[in-house]
Amino acid sequence: MLEQIDISEQLADFGVRLHDLRSEREWTLEELAERTGLSKAFLSRLEAGDRQPSIAAVLTLANAFGIAVGAMFEPAVSADPCVVVRKCEAKTRRGEGLTYAWLSNTARFANLQPMKLIVSHNRQGDEMYQHDGEEWVYVLTGRLRIAVAGTNYDLEPGDSAHFDSRHPHRLTALGGRDTELILVACPLTETATNLPRPIRQRRAIR
């Protein structure tokens, strides 16, 4: 079973880590805002622990710092060639109607960002998200709708999808029940930089 942690503790730890990463690089909030497309006010609230980050925001920040997503929460860096995350060690985090657990927790590897994700059937809103890179999803249980660039794709257990996450996208659980899936995000690759770049919608990266 995934271990759950207190939301206030989670927000405080993330805020401290974000501030430390920014300070290490001697970036101002304005500079970080320019590098990520996230507003200065939003970043300030994240650092203060007053705002819950979405997965898209965490991915965007990790890409800006050039580190693995797990390293946004875990300061320790391991030189071990293999990262093992035991079931009892995976801590869940919540945000934007999603419950997720990162399946790699150090900065040892930065190209793939794997996570186990549960999309609530009660997820509110219709906001679209986008960030640099790609995403691959595999449905474990329940039914999932992925909206990408204005098109809906409905998936059943055992189905998978791979898409350019620079396009506006959103995950929705179908059938009145939660959907459990594996999601692997990948930062923008050199090959992908040659592809046509979608128009960014900064307000959606929250």
Side-chain angles (χ1 to χ4, degrees), residues 67-80:
I67 62 175
V69 169
M72 293 296 301
F73 301 92
E74 304 288 344
V77 177
S78 172
D80 195 313

Side-chain angles (χ1 to χ4, degrees), residues 154-170:
D154 293 351
L155 307 181
E156 304 284 344
D159 291 345
S160 62
H162 188 173
F163 59 93
D164 184 341
S165 53
R166 294 173 299 172
H167 290 291
H169 59 275
R170 184 177 180 84

Side-chain angles (χ1 to χ4, degrees), residues 2 69-70 83-87 89-91 100-106 109 112-117 140 181-184:
L2 299 177
V69 169
V83 175
V84 176
V85 180
R86 303 295 181 187
K87 180 172 63 174
E89 297 173 348
K91 296 180 179 180
Y100 54 97
W102 301 110
L103 301 181
S104 182
N105 63 355
T106 76
F109 302 105
L112 298 180
Q113 318 290 352
M115 72 184 78
K116 187 175 184 179
L117 181 67
L140 298 172
L181 57 110
I182 297 295
L183 184 151
V184 179

Side-chain angles (χ1 to χ4, degrees), residues 103-205:
L103 301 181
S104 182
N105 63 355
T106 76
R108 175 62 177 165
F109 302 105
N111 290 329
L112 298 180
Q113 318 290 352
M115 72 184 78
K116 187 175 184 179
L117 181 67
I118 297 176
V119 183
S120 172
H121 69 280
N122 290 321
R123 190 182 189 195
Q124 302 297 312
D126 56 4
E127 187 175 19
M128 306 295 285
Y129 299 89
Q130 60 186 131
H131 51 86
D132 285 340
E134 306 169 25
E135 288 187 14
W136 175 89
V137 301
Y138 178 85
V139 180
L140 298 172
T141 63
R143 297 172 57 229
L144 178 72
R145 172 167 293 166
I146 303 179
V148 182
T151 301
N152 292 331
Y153 304 88
D154 293 351
L155 307 181
E156 304 284 344
D159 291 345
S160 62
H162 188 173
F163 59 93
D164 184 341
S165 53
R166 294 173 299 172
H167 290 291
H169 59 275
R170 184 177 180 84
L171 306 180
T172 303
L174 301 176
R177 57 176 294 193
D178 294 351
T179 302
E180 185 176 26
L181 57 110
I182 297 295
L183 184 151
V184 179
C186 181
L188 194 65
T189 64
E190 182 176 352
T191 300
T193 60
N194 296 322
L195 298 176
R197 188 174 183 82
I199 297 175
R200 298 187 65 83
Q201 299 177 354
R202 290 191 173 188
R203 70 172 187 85
I205 311 178

